[in-house]
Amino acid sequence: MKIGNIEFGERPLFLAPMEDVTDIGFRMLCKRFGASMVYTEFVSAEALVRDIKSTVRKLTISDEERPVGIQIYGRDVDAMVEAAKIVEQAGPDVIDLNFGCPVKKVAGKGAGAGMLQNIPKLLEITEKVVKAVKLPVTVKTRLGWNHEQLIITTLAEQLQDCGIQALTIHGRTRSQMYTGDADWTLIGEVKKNPRIHIPIIGNGDIKSLDDADRAFYQYGVDAVMIGRATFGQPWIFSHQELTLDEKIDILEEQLRINIERCDTEEMRSKGKSADLCGILHTRRHLAASPVFKGIPNFRETRIKMLRAEKADELIQILEDCRQILR
Ligand SMILES: Cc1cc2nc3c(=O)[nH]c(=O)nc-3n(C[C@H](O)[C@H](O)[C@H](O)COP(=O)(O)O)c2cc1C
């Protein structure tokens, strides 16, 4: 399957864009273990246009993680177009538009999934962004605002007509947020629609490579995107069986990468150490990692992991886990 000129081969697996999760360190690890495409967390178009430094930093990508998509969100047509041009300068392989974020601070203001209540504007943004940049533009969205408005079948055609080069569909409505089960039936219908020729990327509740295989088989999607199941296990994309030691080594490496990559100058100005900044990027993964499932009373260890503020302290907790699990 192809997006623009990027060739992905058969049945590729993509890492979902996730706020506070898909930072550069994690993306590089997922890539190493076989993710065919990775995305940045969503980036606010308005903050980019206003040149907010912490937002601009989210555009940092590395050649090691290519192909990589930078995702933007916003509710203003001009800001989205302007932001897409800024993003293009950062040199990603794809620019992705987020019309799926359900959280109140985004959707409640008409951005993200909020756009599903204003389709003319959603299409205007898409069309104008496609015209404004040379890079392939893709969209990620949901089935509709709620179950009374399952508009994805028509919307997919309209988006394709705007010139997007791939569409990711999360099989939930905005009203569902992250509850209930993802419904892949409509994703499959979009894929089967003879008018649709752009790649369809299916997303929602994929927890293993077997789940991904089933999704390819049952719904015929061109790629499968994995979100939450990647937390604390960037190796989920790999067919290779890793040992416990290898897995813990990878998590420790993730911590080291994040500490190295932290902008110490920025952290010092906030009175935080690079250790703490790296830890903040990593601990959510550690606390959620299936590696530690076997630890008796893991809750206590988890709390310690979430409270650690020094790298040595956190590494020691991981080493203690290693001993217990061996
Ligand atoms: C913590 C978190 C942050 C997320 N941030 C984004 C985001 O920035 N952009 C986006 O398109 N989706 C975001 N999502 C949604 C995921 O990309 C994905 O669509 C959703 O989690 C369903 O896939 P999954 O069941 O494999 O997790 C986020 C999800 C989570 C759990």
Side-chain angles (χ1 to χ4, degrees), residues 67-106:
V68 52
I70 295 182
Q71 190 192 58
I72 54 173
Y73 74 98
R75 60 177 175 176
D76 181 72
V77 182
D78 293 341
M80 285 292 272
V81 169
E82 210 41 52
K85 289 185 192 161
I86 297 170
V87 166
E88 186 164 49
Q89 297 306 311
D93 299 278
V94 159
I95 299 176
D96 192 58
L97 308 181
N98 177 318
F99 298 135
C101 179
V103 304
K104 218 172 182 178
K105 68 171 187 205
V106 175

XYZ file of all heavy atoms in Angstrom, residues 67-106:
297
model
N 9.096 6.638 7.642
C 8.207 7.759 7.423
C 7.450 8.141 8.692
O 7.005 7.295 9.446
C 7.233 7.245 6.359
C 7.319 5.769 6.402
C 8.649 5.413 6.965
N 7.336 9.472 8.870
C 6.680 9.996 10.068
C 5.652 11.056 9.659
O 5.897 11.846 8.754
C 7.734 10.569 11.050
C 8.661 11.564 10.380
C 7.078 11.217 12.272
N 4.524 11.027 10.332
C 3.500 12.033 10.085
C 3.446 13.012 11.236
O 3.599 12.624 12.393
N 3.268 14.292 10.922
C 2.997 15.281 11.975
C 1.507 15.593 11.904
O 0.975 15.871 10.827
C 3.850 16.557 11.795
C 5.339 16.236 11.981
C 3.406 17.632 12.799
C 6.282 17.432 11.882
N 0.861 15.507 13.063
C -0.589 15.722 13.082
C -0.930 17.086 13.681
O -0.367 17.464 14.709
C -1.266 14.633 13.915
C -2.779 14.674 13.776
C -3.499 13.808 14.798
O -3.343 13.995 15.995
N -4.258 12.846 14.308
N -1.843 17.790 13.041
C -2.284 19.080 13.595
C -3.790 19.061 13.848
O -4.520 18.278 13.243
C -1.928 20.280 12.674
C -2.463 20.085 11.241
C -0.442 20.524 12.654
C -2.282 21.310 10.344
N -4.201 19.933 14.750
C -5.637 20.096 14.993
C -5.943 21.564 15.198
O -5.059 22.353 15.569
C -6.099 19.284 16.208
C -5.674 19.858 17.541
C -6.541 20.646 18.301
C -4.399 19.623 18.038
C -6.153 21.182 19.526
C -4.005 20.163 19.263
C -4.882 20.932 19.998
O -4.491 21.470 21.198
N -7.189 21.921 14.960
C -7.597 23.309 15.151
C -8.982 23.502 14.573
O -9.520 22.606 13.932
N -9.549 24.683 14.809
C -10.910 24.902 14.325
C -10.987 26.073 13.354
O -12.035 26.361 12.798
C -11.844 25.156 15.491
C -11.426 26.369 16.294
C -12.369 26.687 17.392
N -11.828 27.785 18.171
C -12.448 28.369 19.166
N -13.633 27.952 19.522
N -11.904 29.355 19.816
N -9.837 26.721 13.166
C -9.848 27.898 12.325
C -9.193 27.570 10.977
O -8.086 27.036 10.939
C -9.069 29.009 13.051
C -9.047 30.272 12.249
O -10.099 30.921 12.157
O -7.983 30.599 11.669
N -9.882 27.908 9.898
C -9.388 27.529 8.573
C -8.002 28.137 8.326
O -7.053 27.427 7.965
C -10.376 28.004 7.466
C -9.879 27.576 6.091
C -11.781 27.477 7.726
N -7.884 29.440 8.539
C -6.608 30.099 8.227
C -5.470 29.557 9.094
O -4.360 29.349 8.612
C -6.721 31.621 8.442
C -7.668 32.227 7.419
O -7.918 31.574 6.388
O -8.176 33.342 7.675
N -5.772 29.333 10.379
C -4.716 28.817 11.271
C -4.297 27.415 10.831
O -3.098 27.086 10.859
C -5.222 28.791 12.712
N -5.236 26.589 10.414
C -4.882 25.226 9.981
C -4.010 25.290 8.713
O -3.025 24.553 8.595
C -6.146 24.387 9.734
C -6.833 23.928 11.007
S -5.874 22.703 11.950
C -6.429 21.171 11.203
N -4.364 26.179 7.798
C -3.575 26.298 6.559
C -2.172 26.813 6.891
O -1.166 26.268 6.432
C -4.296 27.247 5.556
C -3.377 27.602 4.391
C -5.586 26.599 5.068
N -2.119 27.835 7.728
C -0.823 28.413 8.107
C 0.031 27.374 8.838
O 1.219 27.219 8.573
C -1.095 29.625 9.020
C -0.081 30.727 8.964
C 0.398 31.026 7.544
O -0.421 31.250 6.624
O 1.623 30.990 7.375
N -0.616 26.644 9.756
C 0.106 25.625 10.534
C 0.627 24.522 9.606
O 1.746 24.043 9.780
C -0.809 25.032 11.599
N -0.168 24.140 8.617
C 0.277 23.087 7.685
C 1.531 23.535 6.948
O 2.462 22.742 6.726
C -0.843 22.742 6.710
N 1.583 24.814 6.610
C 2.782 25.318 5.907
C 3.995 25.292 6.838
O 5.105 24.977 6.424
C 2.540 26.757 5.426
C 1.547 26.831 4.276
C 1.488 28.291 3.819
C 0.328 28.548 2.890
N -0.013 29.978 2.801
N 3.764 25.631 8.107
C 4.873 25.590 9.087
C 5.340 24.142 9.254
O 6.528 23.845 9.260
C 4.416 26.178 10.448
C 4.039 27.656 10.279
C 5.490 26.001 11.524
C 3.351 28.270 11.505
N 4.367 23.238 9.359
C 4.689 21.817 9.531
C 5.483 21.308 8.326
O 6.450 20.556 8.473
C 3.390 20.992 9.727
C 3.659 19.511 9.558
C 2.791 21.265 11.102
N 5.108 21.748 7.150
C 5.810 21.281 5.943
C 7.304 21.611 6.026
O 8.147 20.808 5.624
C 5.183 21.911 4.702
C 5.765 21.352 3.408
C 4.900 21.669 2.204
O 4.519 22.836 2.047
O 4.602 20.740 1.432
N 7.614 22.775 6.597
C 9.020 23.180 6.733
C 9.789 22.239 7.667
O 10.997 22.105 7.559
C 9.143 24.605 7.297
C 8.548 25.678 6.406
C 9.106 25.615 4.997
O 10.321 25.552 4.817
N 8.229 25.577 4.003
N 9.072 21.597 8.592
C 9.736 20.674 9.530
C 10.103 19.357 8.840
O 10.813 18.537 9.409
C 8.840 20.422 10.740
N 9.583 19.136 7.638
C 9.995 18.001 6.815
C 9.435 16.625 7.168
O 10.137 15.625 7.008
N 8.182 16.513 7.611
C 7.637 15.165 7.811
C 7.325 14.527 6.453
O 7.452 15.200 5.423
C 6.338 15.431 8.578
C 5.881 16.749 8.052
C 7.145 17.554 7.799
N 6.921 13.276 6.468
C 6.566 12.608 5.212
C 5.098 12.833 4.880
O 4.694 12.732 3.717
C 6.877 11.110 5.342
C 8.355 10.905 5.599
O 9.124 10.921 4.642
O 8.747 10.795 6.781
N 4.308 13.098 5.921
C 2.863 13.249 5.762
C 2.377 14.308 6.748
O 2.929 14.444 7.843
C 2.183 11.887 6.098
C 0.732 12.045 6.444
C 2.350 10.887 4.955
N 1.345 15.063 6.376
C 0.680 15.944 7.347
C -0.700 15.354 7.611
O -1.475 15.116 6.670
C 0.532 17.380 6.810
C 1.916 17.985 6.537
C -0.259 18.249 7.795
C 1.882 19.373 5.922
N -0.982 15.057 8.863
C -2.263 14.434 9.216
C -3.153 15.460 9.914
O -2.686 16.210 10.775
C -2.001 13.236 10.149
C -3.240 12.374 10.320
O -3.764 11.879 9.298
O -3.704 12.209 11.464
N -4.420 15.477 9.544
C -5.373 16.395 10.175
C -6.223 15.617 11.164
O -6.803 14.580 10.802
C -6.273 17.045 9.115
C -5.549 17.709 7.940
C -6.578 18.344 6.985
C -4.570 18.776 8.426
N -6.293 16.126 12.380
C -7.045 15.441 13.434
C -8.483 15.959 13.476
O -8.728 17.100 13.854
C -6.350 15.683 14.785
C -7.113 15.064 15.951
O -8.336 15.144 16.027
N -6.399 14.448 16.863
N -9.411 15.087 13.063
C -10.832 15.397 13.216
C -11.473 14.331 14.106
O -12.603 13.911 13.863
C -11.535 15.436 11.852
C -11.011 16.487 10.905
C -10.770 16.181 9.562
C -10.749 17.783 11.332
C -10.294 17.145 8.681
C -10.259 18.755 10.456
C -10.040 18.430 9.122
N -10.707 13.886 15.116
C -11.220 12.777 15.919
C -11.085 12.942 17.420
O -11.678 12.176 18.176
N -10.311 13.952 17.862
C -10.080 14.061 19.308
C -11.393 14.383 20.021
O -12.046 15.384 19.729
C -9.036 15.136 19.599
S -8.773 15.285 21.374
N -11.780 13.543 21.006
C -13.082 13.717 21.629
C -13.059 14.576 22.889
O -14.113 14.909 23.413
C -13.445 12.276 22.018
C -12.123 11.644 22.356
C -11.094 12.313 21.477
N -11.862 14.924 23.401
C -11.845 15.548 24.735
C -12.460 16.945 24.688
O -12.363 17.655 23.691
C -10.430 15.575 25.375
C -9.833 14.188 25.458
C -9.505 16.515 24.638
N -13.055 17.291 25.801
C -13.865 18.508 25.862
C -13.087 19.766 25.462
O -13.579 20.597 24.697
C -14.416 18.669 27.275
C -15.817 19.190 27.263
C -16.378 19.151 28.649
C -17.818 19.643 28.610
N -18.425 19.573 29.911
N -11.855 19.869 25.976
C -11.101 21.112 25.709
C -10.805 21.280 24.207
O -10.466 22.364 23.757
C -9.818 21.167 26.549
C -8.776 20.155 26.167
C -7.434 20.366 26.869
C -6.460 19.426 26.275
N -5.395 18.850 26.593
N -10.916 20.200 23.442
C -10.672 20.273 21.998
C -12.014 20.208 21.235
O -12.406 21.164 20.555
C -9.742 19.114 21.541
C -9.574 19.111 20.030
C -8.385 19.214 22.232
